Structure formats: C-alpha cells, structure tokens
Amino acid sequence: GLQIVWDRYDAMQPQCGFGQLGLCCKVCNMGPCRIDPFGDGPKTGICGATADTIAARNLVQKIAVGASAHSDHGRDIAHALLLTARGEGKGYQILGRRKLNALAQELGVETDGRRIEEIAEEVAEILLAEFGKQEGELIFAQRAPEGQKKYWREAGIMPRGIDREIVEALHRTHIGVDNDYRSLILGGLKAALGDGWGGSMVATELSDVLFGEPWPVRAKINLGVLSEDEVNLVVHGHEPTLSEMIVKAAQEPEMVKLAKENGAKGINIAGICCTGNEILMRQGIPMAGNFLQQELAVSTGLVEAIVVDVQCIMPALTDVASKFHTKVISTSPKAKFPGAIHIEFREEDALDIAREIVRTAVENFPNRDPEKVNKPEGTMDLVAGFTMENVFHHLGGRFRATYRPLNDAIIAGRIRGVAGVVGCNEVSIVHDSAHIAMVKELIKHDVLVVQTGCSAIACAKAGLMQPEAAFKYAGKGLQEVCEAVGIPPVLHLGSCVDNSRILMACVEMVKEGGIGEDISELPVAGAAPEWMSDKAISIGSYVVGSGIFTVFGRPLRVKGSRAVDEFLRKGLEDVVGATWEFEEDPIKAAHIMIEHINRKREALKLRPMMYAAEAA
Ligand code: SF4
Ligand code: SF4
C-alpha cells in the first residue's frame, strides 16, 4: 500500500522524550548521554556536561544548520548573478535594474557610464565576499536601526562574515568548548543574524536583481491546479535559479509543440514549497501546495515529473512516485535521492538543462495511467507578490511610496500592529490548521499579517490572501485600510529567505517614525505555529535577535533545561530587546502576540484602538 507522512508518523509513536526535551547528547563518541530530568538518573553526561549545556548545544547546532541552508542558497544566487554578469549564465537576464541600481548605490558601486553587466558583476563580487569575510561587520547589518546594532555590538553578536559565524557556532558545540548556555545561545544568535541580515538578505536582494522585483499578481493555489489534460511538472525545493529556467523552457513553442505531439494540451508548471513561492511571486505560476502536500501531489497520478533541488524534499518521494508514472528528478549536486533521475543543474547551461528536464516530463505524459488518476477538486484565488518596496507603495498610493500611511494607521489605532506569521507544516498538527486559526484571529483584531513560506501557502489556500478576505475576517479598522488601498489583510511576501523582506519592512517602519526608535519598540510580533525545520529555528533566532517577540507552536527542544528555556523566554529581553514564547494553541498564541502588541502600543503612548469594543 501507499505509505505517506501521516502513516510514518503513526508508526513512529511514541517518540523519544529525551530527544524532545533536548536532553540527549551525541556530541562525542563516549555518548550518547541522556540526562534524567525527573528521577535519580544521571544529571550530567559522561564528560560532565549539564542539561543546560546539552540543550543549548543541541539548539545551536540546529541554528547553524538552518543558517547554513539559507546562506548557501544566497551564495548560489550571488554566483548565478556573477556568471550572468560575465555572460556565462546561459538563459539568465538581469531583470531587476531598479534593485540593482539601489544596491549599487548602497554598496558604493559606480554606475555612471557603466553597462548593467559591469555593475552587476561588482555588486555580486562584493556580496559574495560577505560569505567569507573574516573581520568587521556585515554590510546589510548596517541597514538595521542604531538601537539594534547597539544591542548586537554590546552583546558581541554583530556578525562579521556569513560563513564565519556558522563555523564558529559549530566549533562552540564540539565537546569541551563552550559550556555556558548563555554564551552558546549568543553564539547561535550571531550565526542566525548572519543568516537574516546576510545569507537570506543576499538571496532576496539578488533574486530580485536577477529575476526582477515581484509585483502584486493574481494566481491559483491548491492541488486542484494540477491539470487533467496538460503535462504537469511540479517544481519543489527552494532556489529560483532552477524553477525560473523551468518556467522559461516550458513556455518555448517547441516544447509546447512536443507536449501536443505527446497528447497533452500544453505544459502546466506548479510549485511546492519555496521554489514555488519564488515563481508565484514573480510570474503568478500556480502553487500545488506546501510541505505536507508533496506526496499528495504525486499520489494524484497526474504528475509527469517532480523536479527538486534542495531543502524540505522528503526522501520518501521516490517511493511514492514508484507507485505511479511520476519521475522524480533531482538536480543539485548537494542533494541526491536514491531512486531519482539525476539531471545535474549548472548555471552555465541553465536553459539547456531546464529544457532536458521539461522534455523528460513531456515525454512521460503518455505513461499516465487513467486508472490511477485521482484529480483533486478545488483551487483558491490569491494575490501574491508583495515586497518591502511595493507593499506600502500601495498603502502610500502609487505616487507616494512611503510607510507613512501604515505608521499613521497604527498611530491612529486603525491597525493594531503587524505580525509576521511564517514557517513550515508539522505532521503532528492538523495540516495548516494552526496557521489559519492564528492568522484569522490576528486579522480579526486588526493586526495586519505578512507571511512567507509554507505558512503563506496555508493561508492562501484558506482564501485569506484575496482582498475580499478583509470584509469576511478582518476587524473594522484593518478592513478600512485594506479597502482604501485594495490589499488583502494577509500579504504574501515570498519564500523563507524573503523573511529578510519582513526585517526590512520593520526598518522602514522605524525610519518613518512615530512608532518606535528601534525594531524592539515597534508594535509587531512574529510566529511560526507549525515550524519543524532547522531553517525555522534560524529564522526564529534572527527575528528574536532583531528585536521581534516571536511565538513558536511546539517548543524548541530545550524544555529539559529550565535555565535555557527561561533565557530564551525572558533573559534575551535585556540582550536583544525581544524574547521567544512557545504556545501550541494557535488562538492562545495569537492572543499572546496581541497582548505583546498592546503593551508596545501602551509604551509608545499610541491612541486606543479605534474600534476596540468590536474587536474584543
Ligand atoms: S535518547 Fe537520543 S539517541 Fe537515544 S533514542 Fe532518544 S533521541 Fe535517540
Ligand atoms: S559530549 Fe559529553 S554529554 Fe555529550 S556525548 Fe560526549 S560525553 Fe556525553
């Protein structure tokens, strides 16, 4: 029979309590050691490491892995831009001239009288050097408000180089290096800040340069986007360098002709996870779903090929695909899957390789077995494509691209504040339920919600990303703003690396004035109600590290150490101006965020909410 993620989850029960509490250590070969949190068992590992050290060390390793994933993605985009600028990236064009010029100005790159490729080459070189930089401070970290930079410098967590902080964080976790949980966690935050203000921000900025800046675009979402009479090619993973080329190749007349020769009406590209978000944001390509829908997409029997690159691709995919005609095509030299066809992707031959992948999918169409087809019904409309630059273009009106109207709406009590709700799906939670419940509760209380990643996909499927959603679900104040500007109450800001757009939106809110001198004073909050990946831990770490109070659903695996748990939930306030909280009930979590936003409003002496009684 067909085994999918929920079956495997059931088979895994009960899961190990030591692991869940963060009290299992496998750092050296004298272990594994397990600390007994309750009874008379060992209170230290064989080397003497306490529960505090072990829990903090486990957490820091996860931050480092998450930061490395985003940052390696950023490096790949920078490399693709460099090759394109040098005329070696076949198929790519530099489409984001405005962003390139803005970056050139910020980085001190001369633009007068130079070709766009020369400017792009220098910008790419400068940002690539950020990965290996050994001293000083990250360039994009300088974008943060002075207050945040002061926190980072005083705590010694201002990142120097993107890779350096990840390496140092890992070094700290080797046996017998950093044994102080506070010091370990600060080391982790430093690596995470290098992700948020480094690797991820480079990924976002240079994707905008290479593929163009997103602009609001209507699209369709959910498994119903899979077509019965077209070739379905699903792109899954993270990097737009691949998915953008697949879209380009699939639109070529020869490829469409080949599809028709093979009995299909055309070629339908659909996305899963963040590589889907990237092409949704820029081109309105339909989304098939999020993390927990990857096997479901294949099990429709409608998918000719699922092409994957890196991150969040279940190894089980090849087994599920083997029950259907679906070909799993891996493309990254870093991510191979037994049972998959490997067509290695190189930016130098990007378009030719994309053509080969599309051709493989098209030629598989005649193998579709009608007996095994189970076409899912239903799609939802959404508007995606918001960015730090364009979102408040809307709030400011086209001729006044400014955050003033947002800040004014917050000051006046029309909008309570802003929440970033992001992150994964997690199998123990009813699929998407926590994202949807939390976001509905927030907008009902006049909190504007910005989203990325699988969380954005969840809420889009629930219809929360259409302008009409404001009338159905939002509080009166938020409704008025959405109506005036024509935006949904929940804004899709892109893929997980695009959480850097949320950081920059906060920077703009501070700059605009009137609602806080640094990010930690803003009436904003973050959340990841269904998080599961190490990348989510890195994101949470840099968001908290950047002064934004953040609520995770299931707790980080540190509950076996009261000291670590308290440091994350209370102690970090004095260090970075924000803390974590953990709450599995999404409605309760939303209210924790609302109360936090209310406290920030009170501290800023903002007016009471305009329609407080109705929102309560
Ligand atoms: S204690 Fe650690 S090594 Fe042992 S079963 Fe649990 S998670 Fe695995
Ligand atoms: S580092 Fe210490 S606690 Fe961890 S496995 Fe080795 S001996 Fe055990």
Side-chain angles (χ1 to χ4, degrees), residues 16 18-19 24 26 32 34:
C16 174
F18 292 99
C24 164
K26 291 173 284 178
R34 308 191 308 188

Side-chain angles (χ1 to χ4, degrees), residues 346-507:
R346 294 176 308 278
E347 287 89 347
E348 292 87 335
D349 302 306
L351 192 53
D352 282 342
I353 295 166
R355 286 181 184 128
E356 187 186 346
I357 291 168
V358 175
R359 198 174 301 115
T360 305
V362 168
E363 288 171 352
N364 196 27
F365 184 78
N367 297 325
R368 191 187 286 180
D369 181 353
E371 298 281 303
K372 290 187 178 172
V373 167
N374 188 2
K375 163 102 173 91
E377 291 309 324
T379 61
M380 183 56 78
D381 292 332
L382 79 148
V383 181
F386 293 97
T387 64
M388 188 278 287
E389 292 88 349
N390 77 29
V391 63
F392 300 115
H393 223 75
H394 288 258
L395 281 179
R398 273 176 193 249
F399 304 104
R400 210 158 65 90
T402 157
Y403 275 57
R404 193 71 252 155
L406 173 69
N407 286 25
D408 284 347
I410 291 173
I411 291 166
R414 242 189 204 94
I415 293 181
R416 189 179 302 268
V418 182
V421 182
V422 307
C424 331
N425 286 144
E426 206 268 295
V427 66
S428 72
I429 300 166
V430 174
H431 183 206
D432 294 340
S433 63
H435 294 298
I436 296 165
M438 172 184 279
V439 169
K440 280 186 178 168
E441 195 66 13
L442 289 168
I443 60 176
K444 183 173 147 195
H445 289 81
D446 297 300
V447 177
L448 177 70
V449 175
V450 292
Q451 295 208 275
T452 60
C454 286
S455 185
I457 302 169
C459 291
K461 283 183 286 175
L464 299 178
M465 290 188 171
Q466 354 183 27
E468 307 84 270
F471 303 105
K472 229 167 154 182
Y473 304 109
K476 199 167 172 209
L478 178 57
Q479 212 176 85
E480 284 176 0
V481 173
C482 291
E483 192 181 4
V485 186
I487 54 169
V490 184
L491 302 175
H492 195 325
L493 260 60
S495 65
C496 289
V497 291
D498 294 333
N499 284 315
S500 63
R501 297 194 201 276
I502 298 179
L503 294 180
M504 288 309 297
C506 290
V507 170

Side-chain angles (χ1 to χ4, degrees), residues 25-33 35 44-49 54 57 174-176:
C25 183
K26 291 173 284 178
V27 154
C28 88
N29 212 35
M30 296 193 286
C33 299
I35 304 299
T44 68
I46 294 167
C47 68
I54 292 173
R57 212 157 48 183
H174 190 275
I175 178 174

Side-chain angles (χ1 to χ4, degrees), residues 223 226 231-238 242-243 246 267-276 287-332 335-343 354 356-365 368:
L223 290 173
L226 296 173
V231 173
N232 291 303
L233 200 172
V234 173
V235 289
H236 173 26
H238 281 76
L242 169 69
S243 52
I246 299 271
I267 304 168
N268 179 40
I269 307 288
I272 288 190
C273 288
C274 282
T275 202
M287 281 294 293
N290 49 9
F291 176 71
L292 283 180
Q293 285 173 291
Q294 54 190 289
E295 293 169 294
L296 298 180
V298 172
S299 69
T300 62
L302 286 165
V303 177
E304 274 58 55
I306 179 162
V307 52
V308 301
D309 55 11
V310 289
Q311 302 167 19
C312 304
I313 301 142
M314 287 191 195
L317 215 46
T318 47
D319 181 51
V320 177
S322 72
K323 313 277 192 300
F324 300 87
H325 74 303
T326 308
K327 290 187 194 294
V328 179
I329 303 174
S330 59
T331 56
S332 168
K336 296 194 178 173
F337 296 77
I341 301 168
H342 189 72
I343 303 180
E356 187 186 346
I357 291 168
V358 175
R359 198 174 301 115
T360 305
V362 168
E363 288 171 352
N364 196 27
F365 184 78
R368 191 187 286 180

